[in-house]
Amino acid sequence: MMVAEFKEMPILARYPANRVRAIAMPVGGIGAGCLALAGDGALVDWQLMSRPHRGWRPPWAHMLLRVHPQGDKARLRVLEGITRLQLDADHGAPQTLAGLPHMRPLGFEAAYPFGRALLRDPELPLQCAIEAFNPLIPEATDDSSLPFALLTVALRNRASTPLEASVVFVLSNFIGDDGIVRDQKGNITEFARAHGWRGLLFRKATEQRSPRWGTVALLTDAENAVAARRWAFRRWDLPTTLMPLTDWLLENPTVPDAAPRQPCPPSDERGWESSISVPLTLAPNQTVRVRFLLCWHFPYRNMREVGWWHGESDPIVRNHYALRFEDARRVAEYVIPRLPDLWERTARFVEGIVARHPAPIAESALNCLAVLRSPTVFRLEDGTFCGFEGCNADTGCCFGSCTHVWNYEQATLSLFPDLHRSMLEAHLRYGTMDDGAHRFRLDLPLGANAYALAAADGQMGLIVRSYMQYRRTGDRAWLERWYPTLKKLLAFAWQPGSWDADQDGVMEGAQHNTYDVEFFGPNPVCGTWYLAALRAMEEAARLLGDIEFAQKCRTLFESGSRWMDANLFNGAFYVQQIRPVPDNPHPMTTPRKGDYPHYRDSQLGEACSIDQLIGQYKANRAGLGDLLQREHIRTALRAVLRHNFQRTLNQHYNYGRTYATGDERGVITGTYPRGGKPSLPFPYQSECWTGLEYAFARLLLDYGFRREAVQVVQAVRARHDGAKRNPFNEPECGSYYARSMSAWSLVEGE
């Protein structure tokens, strides 16, 4: 039933049957869209058409299992559990096949990007599994950006006699329908072949300049497969084909095409239901695998629909991945002969991570890479890598490849440095103003330059990341090219009304930051980012022979470091000195004026912040050394462990968004163990963010607190245990949140 045998998929985590309800593992290429394999085997979260829509699937997107034991009647099962059915809906469960018998989930196994749902039915003498895969190979961006999902159904006959069975993949021709905008009129389904695989190609009769226009191919390696473009038993007087399909399959092992020798006509607004049937005979104890290859090709993306477009120009852009192929059939032709190699290289990468690291750390590091397969990220036609912060229900959340969020992640630099470079270059080229202020959110179309605010942490982090890009690739010419821009970004801090106008190495002005407010006065969050940027530019300047500038950066760094240790370290952790808004702040730093009376609101103040050493986190990744006194750093880390790491949240009062609660554990963003809490503390002060928890855990590893670091990561994994939350999606401001990719830092340099 297969072209070539693959090695067994690696397994890192096993989720029992009572912990599969929330699992939905994204499967798809980087920036190419995805669907998800649910913990109970369902194919969910179909997000192929360049926009988020978590929770949606086409009306028909199911695998069915027909089993006919010798001397008994045939039985039909939906090859998934019922954990996702809306059983309490107003008119009963609305899903297409909700009323048919389903399998029961037995568990889920994964080592991302490999996943396997285990299923059973007490009446059937079969062991069943559905596996999903899409390649993820370091420094092979093209091979990791392929728009396909390989789905493998494995059946084992546990009976002592032969068993007749069929696997039937039923799928609507859903071209034109993303679950938000529906247009299935004019859809055509054709027979398709590629390298011995056979199946179906979905398309529209006419081309449209729409993100919902494109093609989908569904193929199998089964030589005896029966493909049906449209069903012979479809009755136009019935509102659904469910009963005719069920009746047919209870009597027949395969679903035939309505008119196999005739072209498929364009559909009316109801579209076509299609299927691929694979009949099987299983000897006792025999295991058979049937592979289905789902490929897609949707060339267009409407940036206004997803919330990232400025102005009245045409918001339709082309997807970079779609330029490589003419349609979904061409994707299949490219992928099929390469499948064993793609599988092997991905497995080798995953196995290396699993072998070298504790399970909670390896799981967090691998699972966070699901962000790269989600609608959070995409590539423009010219290859520019862009990212929202996360995803709302059907739009992106927080546009602009936001620097103060993307600064935290380590995955792209480590695994796909070309993507990291692409995002940096977009910011350096289009976000930098003449005076050095940087728009921390990029507008589309690139060059629109409408966003009018600079983030202190975002701008300093951009400098550090640029130096890290050089260290990662060794491309001196690249650093030379962007060095003048980087100097300009740093020197902006020294302008009148900016962040360090008196040039003493301490950030003192109005500092917009990742907490979506301005901090007024010296503080460790923006301050450590600044120290890291000074060190990065010192190193870059020395490398390129700009000794005078290197010495200036060194002098400011030493001055700022001494001052922060002497004035912000309270003996246990680093705090903020709240000061009034500067008299004439630079307009890119804050809309506030010097007479703003509420400058004490939304500040850190005396907080013990999980983020107080965030610049150190990035500096360590960049090889820049300690930014502050080492013993102070270690003491501050102990303080966060003591005051912020809650072993239970039952007594914690969270006034913000709830990502951890009850008996769960987590590291609170900010606490006030010595009092001094402002009447209105900084936003999100009482929340738990996995992206911050991972960065904190990485710092614990850096400074010798290995046991405690693993405990912090274990707390995150326990919250995303498959029962309560999805292990492959760690929301913050939206699902598939980019900051969570700070988890990759946990496996770097270990």
Side-chain angles (χ1 to χ4, degrees):
M1 305 303 299
M2 60 196 71
V3 170
E5 284 289 351
F6 296 172
K7 65 184 293 185
E8 181 65 19
M9 68 170 249
I11 298 174
L12 168 61
R14 289 181 167 89
Y15 304 86
N18 64 348
R19 286 174 45 203
V20 302
R21 182 198 63 82
I23 293 175
M25 189 190 83
V27 186
I30 297 173
C34 65
L35 68 156
L37 176 65
D40 67 352
L43 301 177
V44 299
D45 299 349
W46 290 64
Q47 302 172 105
L48 310 184
M49 299 182 184
S50 304
R51 76 182 304 174
H53 197 191
R54 198 163 56 93
W56 183 75
R57 68 195 295 189
W60 296 82
H62 304 74
M63 295 191 203
L64 304 178
L65 175 64
R66 180 185 188 270
V67 179
H68 195 175
Q70 286 187 352
D72 201 352
K73 63 181 180 180
R75 294 176 175 85
L76 186 65
R77 298 290 186 268
V78 183
L79 205 52
E80 60 190 59
I82 64 169
T83 60
R84 290 177 173 267
L85 298 183
Q86 297 166 261
L87 300 177
D88 60 349
D90 293 336
H91 299 278
Q95 284 82 2
T96 305
L97 306 182
L100 298 190
H102 285 58
M103 302 292 284
R104 299 181 187 181
L106 191 60
F108 193 87
E109 301 171 334
Y112 196 76
F114 299 93
R116 176 191 291 140
L118 306 174
L119 303 168
R120 67 179 177 88
D121 187 302
E123 295 187 6
L124 302 180
L126 281 172
Q127 289 181 343
C128 306
I130 301 175
E131 300 174 1
F133 163 75
N134 178 283
L136 188 64
I137 305 165
E139 299 191 61
T141 302
D142 284 348
D143 283 345
S144 302
S145 305
L146 294 167
F148 79 88
L150 179 66
L151 304 166
T152 303
V153 179
L155 302 175
R156 179 174 176 268
N157 180 11
R158 296 187 293 109
S160 58
T161 57
L163 188 66
E164 300 295 323
S166 298
V167 177
V168 183
F169 197 137
V170 294
L171 184 62
S172 305
N173 182 336
F174 61 99
I175 305 299
D177 183 358
D178 63 4
I180 302 163
V181 177
R182 180 180 173 85
D183 175 22
Q184 292 190 20
K185 188 174 183 179
N187 284 4
I188 293 175
T189 304
E190 299 173 339
F191 294 124
R193 288 178 176 267
H195 297 291
W197 293 50
R198 63 183 67 191
L200 304 164
L201 178 72
F202 297 165
R203 65 177 180 87
K204 274 198 176 294
T206 57
E207 181 173 350
Q208 300 174 0
R209 187 175 168 80
S210 163
R212 288 161 286 278
W213 179 84
T215 54
V216 170
L218 178 63
L219 305 169
T220 180
D221 62 350
E223 296 177 355
N224 60 341
V226 177
R229 300 164 301 168
R230 52 196 180 104
W231 295 337
F233 44 73
R234 180 171 187 175
R235 288 176 51 185
W236 298 103
D237 59 332
L238 293 178
T240 176
T241 53
L242 178 57
M243 184 173 67
L245 173 67
T246 304
D247 290 347
W248 181 273
L249 282 174
L250 287 173
E251 298 295 331
N252 303 277
T254 61
V255 179
D257 188 86
R261 298 184 182 277
Q262 299 177 12
C264 176
S267 66
D268 65 11
E269 65 278 359
R270 288 176 291 183
W272 295 120
E273 298 97 359
S274 305
S275 61
I276 298 178
S277 308
V278 180
L280 307 166
T281 300
L282 289 86
N285 293 316
Q286 182 185 9
T287 298
V288 174
R289 288 177 170 83
V290 180
R291 294 200 177 100
F292 294 98
L293 183 68
L294 182 74
C295 303
W296 58 89
H297 182 269
F298 291 94
Y300 299 112
R301 178 180 299 267
N302 187 324
M303 296 309 305
R304 183 172 288 122
E305 283 185 349
V306 296
W308 189 347
W309 195 257
H310 179 76
E312 300 303 319
S313 60
D314 182 8
I316 302 294
V317 301
R318 289 180 64 86
N319 285 313
H320 180 74
Y321 85 86
L323 302 180
R324 298 178 60 194
F325 307 103
E326 181 182 343
D327 59 16
R329 185 190 343 234
R330 299 296 187 190
V331 176
E333 290 176 350
Y334 178 86
V335 165
I336 289 170
R338 294 170 174 82
L339 276 173
D341 177 64
L342 296 171
W343 180 286
E344 170 65 29
R345 290 156 67 201
T346 303
R348 191 163 56 243
F349 158 62
V350 171
E351 288 166 351
I353 298 299
V354 172
R356 292 194 302 270
H357 303 283
I361 285 178
E363 187 179 0
S364 290
L366 289 170
N367 287 12
C368 79
L369 302 179
V371 173
L372 296 176
R373 329 300 281 260
S374 77
T376 294
V377 305
F378 59 95
R379 297 180 74 183
L380 300 175
E381 183 172 358
D382 66 359
T384 300
F385 180 63
C386 302
F388 291 95
E389 293 182 25
C391 295
N392 290 320
D394 56 15
T395 65
C397 184
C398 304
F399 72 95
S401 301
C402 174
T403 55
H404 65 58
V405 169
W406 279 86
N407 280 351
Y408 287 73
E409 69 91 12
Q410 282 292 119
T412 57
L413 177 67
S414 179
L415 301 176
F416 304 105
D418 55 333
L419 298 182
H420 186 264
R421 183 188 67 239
S422 174
M423 184 178 285
L424 288 179
E425 289 180 350
H427 274 291
L428 295 172
R429 180 179 292 114
Y430 298 106
T432 306
M433 300 172 64
D434 291 341
D435 65 357
H438 178 267
R439 300 176 173 92
F440 69 87
R441 296 190 191 276
L442 289 176
D443 289 293
L444 291 180
L446 290 172
N449 297 341
Y451 201 78
L453 192 60
D457 55 350
Q459 187 154 333
M460 296 301 106
L462 185 63
I463 294 170
V464 180
R465 288 166 61 199
S466 297
Y467 175 66
M468 293 171 70
Q469 180 71 33
Y470 160 73
R471 279 175 52 91
R472 174 68 174 82
T473 64
D475 189 344
R476 182 188 175 105
W478 185 87
L479 184 62
E480 289 177 339
R481 176 185 179 187
W482 293 108
Y483 178 71
T485 303
L486 296 172
K487 283 184 67 175
K488 186 187 299 186
L489 290 174
L490 183 62
F492 173 75
W494 309 329
Q495 291 195 18
S498 189
W499 301 312
D500 185 18
D502 60 1
Q503 300 187 43
D504 63 353
V506 180
M507 278 207 164
E508 300 154 329
Q511 303 148 63
H512 192 82
N513 59 79
T514 199
Y515 296 97
D516 300 324
V517 293
E518 287 83 53
F519 288 159
F520 302 120
N523 66 86
V525 175
C526 297
T528 55
W529 275 118
Y530 184 33
L531 294 180
L534 288 167
R535 281 287 294 117
M537 286 305 294
E538 178 194 353
E539 294 297 324
R542 290 193 190 282
L543 179 72
L544 300 179
D546 191 352
I547 303 304
E548 182 179 353
F549 192 76
Q551 188 56 50
K552 178 172 184 175
C553 292
R554 184 69 193 183
T555 300
L556 290 179
F557 165 74
E558 291 178 348
S559 172
S561 177
R562 285 194 303 270
W563 192 95
M564 287 182 64
D565 273 322
N567 295 277
L568 299 188
F569 187 70
N570 66 5
F573 50 89
Y574 291 89
V575 298
Q576 177 191 14
Q577 286 188 4
I578 303 176
R579 297 180 182 177
V581 181
D583 288 338
N584 296 294
H586 191 289
M588 284 293 289
T589 65
T590 180
R592 310 296 185 190
K593 301 300 180 184
D595 58 353
Y596 179 62
H598 304 297
Y599 64 90
R600 292 189 174 276
D601 290 347
S602 303
Q603 302 297 294
L604 289 166
E606 299 295 316
C608 178
S609 166
I610 188 177
D611 237 3
Q612 63 188 275
L613 295 170
I614 190 59
Q616 187 68 68
Y617 155 76
K618 211 66 172 182
N620 289 350
R621 315 281 72 75
L624 298 173
D626 291 346
L627 304 178
L628 301 160
Q629 290 184 30
R630 174 163 284 244
E631 192 50 44
H632 287 182
I633 292 172
R634 288 175 54 83
T635 300
L637 292 172
R638 291 191 195 99
V640 177
L641 282 170
R642 183 180 308 116
H643 302 301
N644 298 44
F645 187 20
Q646 306 290 310
R647 270 58 177 183
T648 175
L649 293 166
N650 265 325
Q651 302 303 316
H652 173 61
Y653 295 87
N654 176 15
Y655 308 107
R657 301 162 300 184
T658 302
Y659 305 118
T661 190
D663 290 330
E664 295 176 325
R665 298 178 298 159
V667 187
I668 306 303
T669 303
T671 60
Y672 291 85
R674 297 190 175 186
K677 183 177 181 179
S679 58
L680 183 63
F682 69 99
Y684 321 122
Q685 167 261 321
S686 56
E687 298 179 1
C688 288
W689 297 356
T690 65
L692 301 189
E693 290 173 292
Y694 291 138
F696 172 60
R698 178 65 253 187
L699 278 168
L700 291 172
L701 290 174
D702 290 343
Y703 292 95
F705 300 99
R706 186 170 186 82
R707 178 176 61 87
E708 293 84 351
V710 174
Q711 289 174 346
V712 168
V713 178
Q714 285 174 327
V716 177
R717 297 268 48 89
R719 300 201 306 263
H720 296 81
D721 65 351
K724 296 170 290 187
R725 299 178 187 84
N726 185 359
F728 304 98
N729 178 15
E730 298 177 15
E732 190 188 303
C733 190
S735 287
Y736 313 118
Y737 200 72
R739 198 188 326 256
S740 69
M741 289 190 289
S742 61
W744 190 256
S745 70
L746 297 168
V747 299
E748 291 181 313
E750 288 289 308

